[in-house]
Amino acid sequence: MNLINKNNKVLIVGLGMLGASYAKALKKNGFYITAVTLDPDDIDYALEKGFIDRGYTMPLPEAISDADIVILALYPKVAIEWIVKNQDNLKSGAFITDVTGIKETVVKSINKILRPDLEFVPAHPMAGKEGKGIVQSDDEIFKYANYIITPTAKNTEEGIKKCEELGKILGFANISRLSIAEHDKVIAFVSQLTHCIAIALMGCDTCKSKNNMENYTGDSFRDLTRIAKINDSLWSELFSMNKKALLEQMDVFEESFNELRKMIENDDIDSMRKLMKKSTKRRTRFDKKQ
């Protein structure tokens, strides 16, 4: 028995890259989509492209009161504020989920104030691309991607399964569950640390002082720094709100980097090769399954 069906009306709050990508995927699957977002141009764009049915620039009661599924495609702090201001207009039994990249602060804040007749099941789509905004949206980013659900004691098994079902409808290849604490620790390593490395690399004096560096680089540099083209307002918030876990992972990376530096300094070829073989073996586990 399906817990989600095409008779369920979907409300997407925020039509940035991820919110609009959700809208595209769900619309292709026959769902009725209402969107609330600040920019009227984004609403016009989505209506013209046909991946929403209604759009509003304000969360008016008539815009949100009939939603069965609510997707908060917002920055973490804004997602919390939206629930505080608008949950009274949601209908009883509405299912709520999100896309935020950190969980502990967001989930605890929302659960603390959420009406008992609403259920919020946190989720994190591990999908995206450089750039931001509705024009960057693409439901193909979910293909072969991971979808993490971070349930709490407040969630019902039915609600969790409903979130898993939503992930399948969106097209994610792998759906898993993590505690909110474990999620934030893992994300600090596999996502936030990698962005820190790319940002720091592009900020090196070598990049700043040498003219026309782009004329001399190869794909290795481009691949490593792709994510340095970053949404600064979002990622600075994510780094700050997950500071403890991220700083711990930065320390671990610094230790590993310094070990490699010593190998190079000492011409320790055997140790370098051993580390490279371990790196190659581990990296194959991260290839997307086609």
Side-chain angles (χ1 to χ4, degrees):
M1 176 181 169
N2 292 333
L3 298 172
I4 296 177
N5 60 68
K6 295 175 185 178
N7 293 322
N8 295 142
K9 293 183 178 179
V10 179
L11 170 67
I12 297 179
V13 187
L15 279 181
M17 189 272 291
L18 263 180
S21 297
Y22 267 55
K24 288 180 176 180
L26 292 170
K27 192 62 187 170
K28 283 182 179 178
N29 279 278
F31 287 87
Y32 187 91
I33 311 294
T34 299
V36 175
T37 198
L38 292 176
D39 193 337
D41 290 339
D42 288 346
I43 293 172
D44 291 341
Y45 179 88
L47 288 169
E48 181 184 344
K49 298 294 183 181
F51 57 85
I52 68 170
D53 296 283
R54 293 188 300 166
Y56 299 84
T57 56
M58 296 290 290
L60 304 173
E62 59 266 30
I64 66 177
S65 60
D66 64 345
D68 300 296
I69 299 169
V70 180
I71 297 165
L72 301 176
L74 300 167
Y75 291 5
K77 291 179 181 178
V78 180
I80 298 167
E81 292 169 1
W82 196 92
I83 290 294
V84 171
K85 293 177 181 177
N86 299 291
Q87 66 166 320
D88 287 345
N89 291 321
L90 295 175
K91 74 178 183 181
S92 182
F95 167 81
I96 307 166
T97 189
D98 71 329
V99 305
T100 56
I102 56 114
K103 291 303 178 198
E104 189 154 10
T105 301
V106 174
V107 176
K108 288 182 177 179
S109 297
I110 290 178
N111 279 345
K112 188 176 180 179
I113 53 92
L114 193 67
R115 279 168 35 200
D117 60 329
L118 302 172
E119 184 165 10
F120 169 55
V121 182
H124 185 185
M126 295 298 292
K129 57 184 179 179
E130 63 269 19
K132 60 181 179 179
I134 194 169
V135 296
Q136 298 290 333
S137 61
D138 180 4
D139 57 302
E140 288 293 311
I141 61 175
F142 305 137
K143 197 175 183 181
Y144 311 125
N146 295 320
Y147 185 73
I148 306 171
I149 300 170
T150 58
T152 71
K154 285 203 167 188
N155 290 130
T156 63
E157 185 62 25
E158 180 177 314
I160 298 168
K161 288 181 178 178
K162 186 179 288 188
C163 199
E164 290 175 337
E165 198 170 300
L166 177 64
K168 291 176 183 176
I169 293 169
L170 289 165
F172 286 93
N174 183 57
I175 298 169
S176 57
R177 300 183 188 185
L178 282 177
S179 70
I180 57 174
E182 187 65 19
H183 168 275
D184 287 0
K185 182 178 179 180
V186 168
I187 292 305
F189 177 71
V190 301
S191 178
Q192 294 177 347
L193 176 63
T194 56
H195 283 77
C196 287
I197 294 168
I199 293 164
L201 188 58
M202 292 308 304
C204 285
D205 284 341
T206 299
C207 290
K208 293 188 289 186
S209 62
K210 300 293 185 182
N211 293 326
N212 304 317
M213 184 72 79
E214 66 277 6
N215 292 331
Y216 316 122
T217 190
D219 285 341
S220 58
F221 187 85
R222 281 188 285 269
D223 289 345
L224 186 61
T225 59
R226 176 186 62 81
I227 54 176
K229 294 191 288 185
I230 195 167
N231 180 340
D232 56 283
S233 58
L234 171 61
W235 282 91
S236 58
E237 184 173 317
L238 293 173
F239 289 173
S240 180
M241 293 180 75
N242 201 32
K243 177 169 63 176
K244 183 177 183 294
L246 178 56
L247 290 176
E248 288 174 355
Q249 296 304 323
M250 292 177 83
D251 288 342
V252 171
F253 175 77
E254 184 178 13
E255 181 180 343
S256 179
F257 192 85
N258 285 337
E259 287 179 2
L260 177 58
R261 190 184 192 283
K262 288 178 183 177
M263 294 175 194
I264 297 169
E265 185 177 18
N266 296 327
D267 293 320
D268 188 350
I269 301 298
D270 288 341
S271 294
M272 276 192 276
R273 291 190 64 185
K274 184 178 179 181
L275 182 61
M276 290 173 183
K277 287 176 180 177
K278 181 168 73 172
S279 167
T280 299
K281 183 177 180 180
R282 286 184 174 178
R283 179 59 182 82
T284 59
R285 293 163 48 197
F286 291 83
D287 291 332
K288 287 186 176 180
K289 303 297 187 294
Q290 302 294 317

